[in-house]
């Protein structure tokens, strides 16, 4: 890769451009690197058995001596979730707001990562990293203390919005600092990177204020217990629930491991404030009359192991859903999670609950945390960037955001639709992609990180769709002659179980084939032959293509 | 099961109550049965390898002598798709509108089902089936010629809305016949069954008219080709596209097998009307300038084998997406299909197309085909039913519809939230569930119907999440002694491939175990032991639980 000019800045997205998740942006000068965010991506349905996905950091490993810091915009999983994995190999100080540091700290402890310097930042923080200076500024998002970051670099001023919306009445946080953006705009911004999550949605995102009113209304009017599901990291939402509960004379019982942990941490840090006794341990909730109870839990995305999913299936340790319960889904399904979410809602109805969820604007029990088109245009108008890179979105969101930028006066050749791995170089002469960095998905599956590859996933997909047929052939290890009846076993494939006749004929076909190819062959060649012939035979008979796994035993 | 009283009517949902799909309702008197609709359900993501699901018709098979007719409300797959399967074992005349008969006829021919009487009905049709008389009346839906059905029975008048919305300006069809509903209401309706698909959505569904205007606008303003994806059965949508194309001076090229078949059939039956030469074969489209081309295709749900998905992957036979193309998604993702739909949209952007889709009400390129809350209330108000059964919906939709009915004055004990298989009996004394009929999912997987069961699906899920480890043990068939090194093979499981050491230790563990259990055991017992021990060993080592398939070879 070519050298970086002394007046240049490289901008390398290692995640988040082409997906909602694993956000990670590298800013690199001749001598220094700072990284903005290090998140995880949740798997899509065809990634069987995968827990989550983290960025490929080969690019950073090759430049580890230049790494000065991780700058974190806020404490959501898709921005901090990969830190425990990355900090082991690529240690550096982590700069983040107090709440984000609280969440990161929990994560590092849970993963036994030690010795990392955690630096707390405020909207006044200015931090120097050699040739790069970072200034943090507040933005409104669905978590308190979210930040945008301005970077002063040899190539000029760069503004990264982080995740934001323009909310003039946010909860537990200050509004997005439009003045700061305007000042940067007046100073002259060479490059803006801006949140694209809802760049295809017209209009404005409603204020969090509306959610507080909607939740309070439910708590005032519900006949029995109220159970509210949201993300464990939605600390502001929990505060709204606590406020509503106080008005409605209810007590709040958090449940779900991450919810309990986060609420405790947020109270310790004074983020969540409540009157004495308003928040209590879930195992006490049965001592209170139903109409005085609010349970706040995880599971708003239908996650199968979450507190809410367990309640819907009747196997939660502390809470059994009953007639008269009102469940509130205070979150919208993330694309891809809809079926799981609706399955949970249906199950809750089935066990007797009334469920409130946001359908066709039926209620304000949740609002989005990201800016829609008019807000994005406001930011583009204030910052007046020379160059523009849309971040945080699937390809369609990035495309929509590029169109908005062009409509707002950014020259088409300066609105850069990048993909993960693009090595973009900004100099006084312009901005251009100069190279490509590795940016493939790194799959985390249980204790295994990076071992699962596309072959494994393809195999799992094949197994899922068609099942497997194992064919065991026993041969004499000296002569190569077949010395026992072949054995045929299947799982997840119906043909053989349903038709004993087919099983017999498969064995016969195998037998005939082995008779025909009498000459001794190498084990690997024999495996290939068995696999091909049996696959073909089964497709002819059933029109299905199970995975055929040949095993040759030599005795 | 008890006998049906002579003044009684049994209503038995065999599908559609608790799911959007496989709609099928049995109406049974002492002597006669008519069936309303016989549809399929598309599989959810955890039903690996399943093509679709049809109703369990055990109840009908046990009463086949009473079966008089299938009454079809309209030609969508979730209402007619199971007919080819059911008519083989349960033949009876099929009553349906002309367009629905056209679609059913195609289906029967494709499946080589012969000798079925197809009776064409109109909004004037009155058909007698012994003790039951059926009257068809028009409703507006997203397909022309949709019908509601009124049944005169020994237990009184029953009204079934079919799928409908209240559209005063529908396309290619007449508005929902509210007068007829009012007349039935005045006469006295004992039971109303009504469409619940959007019973949780406030307000009214927009008219199809809005879609025509939105599509025409795209065709007038797009710089190059316009490619519109919708359901093949959306005949009215195709007419709107043809009308818009004529205004915009474009020629329409259908592609996708079912789209081409349906358009041809609809033209033959004079449903689709166009000026000469406006509809042409797709293989001619390259002879026309880009700005004169409209391609109408399947794939609005992101179906992987559809015309649109092929275009997005660059492997459609006739159409290669290029810069300047405008793709219109004239359909909304059905819950569960979102990830597939958005993947297709992202891929289309990636290959250079501009994609228009309905996001946050961004455009009217699609509207729903089902009534929302205010329309449902209008029907409840007109029909004034004594009893009410919500149909066509997931549990949450049925629950919401029951609440609407109660708000409209139906007594709570007469608003019946039934599930598939409930045997509901209506008599002058009241309405009550008297028994339960089999109503499990019948899975269709390739040529296999009903062979796949929950065990197979559970196995497929297990294989998908964790992969498989096959352990082959060779024993002497007389002594039971192990006579060759055990063989360990895996697929979709990373542990063994990534760690040769683990493979060796697994074989060793197996060896040790076999040494310990030296006494000869039955093959099946040996299999159990191998399975348990290796499962435990691998979990200890990897925290993963692959399926372990033990194979004992006797030589």
């Amino acid at each position: 890769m070519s050298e970086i000019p002394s007046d240049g800045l490289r901008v390398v997205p290692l995640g988040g451009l082409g997906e909602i998740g694993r956000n990670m942006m590298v800013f690199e000068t001749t001598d220094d690197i700072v990284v903005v965010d290090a998140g995880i991506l949740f798997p899509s349905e065809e990634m069987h058995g995968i827990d989550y996905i983290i960025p490929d950091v080969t690019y950073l490993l090759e430049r580890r001596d230049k790494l000065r810091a991780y700058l974190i915009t806020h404490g959501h999983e898709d921005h901090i979730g990969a830190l425990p994995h990355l900090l082991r190999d690529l240690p550096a100080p982590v700069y983040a707001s107090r709440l984000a540091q609280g969440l990161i700290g929990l994560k590092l402890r849970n993963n036994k990562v030690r010795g990392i310097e955690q630096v707390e930042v405020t909207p006044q923080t200015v931090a120097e990293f050699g040739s790069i200076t970072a200034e943090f500024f507040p933005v409104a998002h669905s978590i308190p203390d979210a930040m945008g970051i301005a970077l002063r670099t040899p190539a000029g001023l760069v503004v990264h919005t982080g995740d934001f919306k323009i909310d003039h009445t946010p909860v537990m946080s200050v509004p997005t600092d439009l003045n700061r953006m305007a000042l940067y705009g007046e100073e002259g911004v060479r490059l803006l990177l801006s949140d694209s999550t809802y760049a295809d949605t017209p209009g404005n995102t409603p204020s969090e204020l509306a959610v507080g009113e909607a939740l309070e209304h439910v708590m005032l009017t519900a006949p029995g217990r109220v159970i509210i599901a949201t993300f464990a990291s939605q600390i502001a939402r929990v505060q709204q629930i606590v406020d509503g509960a106080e008005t409605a004379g209810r007590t709040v019982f958090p449940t779900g491991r991450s919810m309990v942990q986060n609420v405790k941490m947020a109270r310790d840090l004074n983020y969540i404030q409540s009157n004495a006794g308003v928040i209590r341990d879930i195992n006490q909730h049965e001592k209170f009359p139903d109409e005085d109870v609010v349970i706040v839990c995880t599971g708003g995305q239908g996650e199968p192991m979450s507190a809410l999913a367990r309640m819907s299936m009747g196997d939660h340790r502390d809470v059994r859903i009953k007639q008269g319960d009102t469940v509130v889904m205070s979150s919208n399904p993330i694309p891809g999670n809809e079926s799981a979410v609706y399955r949970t809602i249906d199950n809750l109805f089935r066990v007797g609950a009334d469920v409130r969820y946001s359908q066709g604007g039926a209620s304000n029990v949740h609002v989005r945390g990201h800016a829609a088109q008019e807000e994005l245009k406001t930011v583009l108008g204030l910052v007046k960037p020379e160059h523009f890179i849309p971040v945080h979105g699937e390809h369609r969101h990035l495309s929509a955001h590029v169109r908005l930028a062009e409509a707002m006066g950014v020259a088409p050749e300066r609105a850069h639709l990048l993909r993960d791995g693009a090595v973009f170089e900004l100099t006084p002469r312009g901005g251009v992609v100069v190279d490509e960095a590795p940016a493939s998905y790194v799959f985390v599956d249980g204790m295994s990180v990076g071992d699962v590859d596309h072959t494994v996933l393809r195999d799992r997909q094949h197994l899922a769709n068609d099942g497997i047929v194992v064919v065991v052939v026993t041969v004499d290890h000296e002569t190569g002659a077949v010395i026992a009846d072949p054995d045929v076993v299947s799982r997840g494939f119906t043909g053989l179980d349903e038709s004993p006749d087919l099983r017999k004929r498969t064995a016969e076909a195998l037998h005939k084939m082995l008779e025909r190819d009498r000459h001794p062959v190498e084990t690997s060649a024999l495996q290939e032959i068995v696999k091909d012939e049996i696959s073909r035979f089964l497709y002819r008979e059933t029109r299905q293509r199970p995975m055929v796994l040949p095993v040759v035993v030599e005795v």
Side-chain angles (χ1 to χ4, degrees), chain A residues 155-378:
Chain A
L157 182 57
V158 175
V159 173
H160 189 308
T161 64
D163 292 11
F164 80 101
K165 62 177 176 178
I166 298 181
D167 188 342
H168 299 291
T169 51
V171 174
M172 291 178 62
S173 92
V174 288
T176 294
D177 194 341
L178 299 180
N179 293 50
R180 204 74 104 99
M181 291 195 191
L183 289 176
Y184 290 135
E186 290 310 309
E187 183 182 339
V189 172
R190 293 224 57 218
L191 171 66
L192 170 68
L193 304 101
S194 180
D195 179 358
S196 311
T197 317
Y198 283 93
D200 60 353
T201 301
N204 293 276
T205 295
S207 170
E208 285 284 323
L209 202 62
V211 180
E213 289 168 4
L215 293 178
E216 184 173 297
H217 183 255
V218 174
M219 287 186 263
L220 284 167
T221 57
R225 300 186 299 186
V226 174
I227 297 161
I228 303 177
T230 189
F231 288 104
S233 58
Q234 297 280 72
I235 302 298
R237 194 63 49 85
V238 176
Q239 180 68 56
Q240 289 177 308
I241 293 166
V242 169
D243 293 345
E246 289 180 349
T247 307
R250 291 180 185 253
T251 303
V252 178
F253 303 91
T255 181
R257 179 166 167 271
S258 53
M259 182 62 79
V260 171
Q261 268 195 344
N262 286 354
V263 168
K264 181 177 179 314
M265 182 274 298
R267 294 179 75 189
D268 290 348
L269 296 182
N270 255 323
Y271 276 91
I272 293 180
Q273 295 174 338
S274 65
N275 295 333
V278 167
I279 302 178
R280 288 176 185 271
D281 193 284
I282 185 71
N283 65 27
Q284 295 180 41
H285 84 276
E286 288 185 321
K287 296 182 193 150
F288 289 73
D290 286 350
E291 62 273 24
D292 292 351
V293 170
V294 180
I295 293 168
V296 51
C297 62
T298 54
Q301 295 298 317
E303 308 91 321
M305 304 305 286
S306 66
L308 191 68
R310 284 175 190 277
M311 290 180 205
S312 78
M313 304 300 289
D315 59 1
H316 188 277
R317 203 180 50 177
D318 299 299
V319 184
R320 187 156 297 273
I321 298 288
K322 56 188 178 188
Q323 204 82 30
D325 286 346
T326 303
V327 178
V328 179
M329 307 294 285
S330 189
S331 59
N332 275 347
I334 293 174
N337 291 354
E338 291 85 351
S339 2
V341 171
Y342 288 124
R343 199 177 310 134
T344 304
I345 293 176
D346 283 322
N347 287 338
L348 288 164
F349 269 120
R350 222 169 263 136
V351 289
D354 182 13
V355 189
R356 310 287 173 87
Y357 54 103
S358 186
Q359 167 72 13
S363 93
N364 268 329
V365 290
H366 179 67
V367 297
R368 302 184 296 262
H370 300 266
Q373 288 180 347
E374 293 307 312
E375 296 155 86
L376 297 174
K377 287 194 229 165
T378 300

Side-chain angles (χ1 to χ4, degrees), chain A residues 480-491:
Chain A
V482 176
I483 56 173
D485 280 343
D487 210 341
V488 181
V489 190
S490 70
R491 284 292 183 281

Side-chain angles (χ1 to χ4, degrees), chain A residues 111-182:
Chain A
N111 286 278
K112 303 191 176 56
V113 180
R114 296 194 183 83
I116 298 298
E117 187 190 354
Q118 290 184 259
V119 183
E120 205 175 292
V121 305
T122 70
Q124 282 72 47
T125 298
V126 177
E128 275 196 41
F129 307 100
S131 53
I132 303 175
T133 304
E135 299 175 10
F136 289 80
F137 61 91
V139 293
H141 184 42
S142 47
I143 185 170
D145 282 7
M147 301 279 188
I149 301 174
L151 299 174
R152 296 182 185 281
T153 78
L157 182 57
V158 175
V159 173
H160 189 308
T161 64
D163 292 11
F164 80 101
K165 62 177 176 178
I166 298 181
D167 188 342
H168 299 291
T169 51
V171 174
M172 291 178 62
S173 92
V174 288
T176 294
D177 194 341
L178 299 180
N179 293 50
R180 204 74 104 99
M181 291 195 191

Side-chain angles (χ1 to χ4, degrees), chain A residues 506 509-510 512-514 516-517 526-540 548:
Chain A
T506 305
L510 189 63
K512 213 183 293 172
M513 182 208 97
L514 293 170
R516 199 178 59 213
D517 294 322
L526 181 58
Q527 282 175 336
E528 273 308 300
I529 296 169
V530 169
K531 184 177 165 180
D532 290 352
E533 294 264 343
I534 297 301
S535 297
R536 256 201 298 274
F537 173 81
L538 289 174
Y539 182 70
R540 260 201 322 272
V548 173

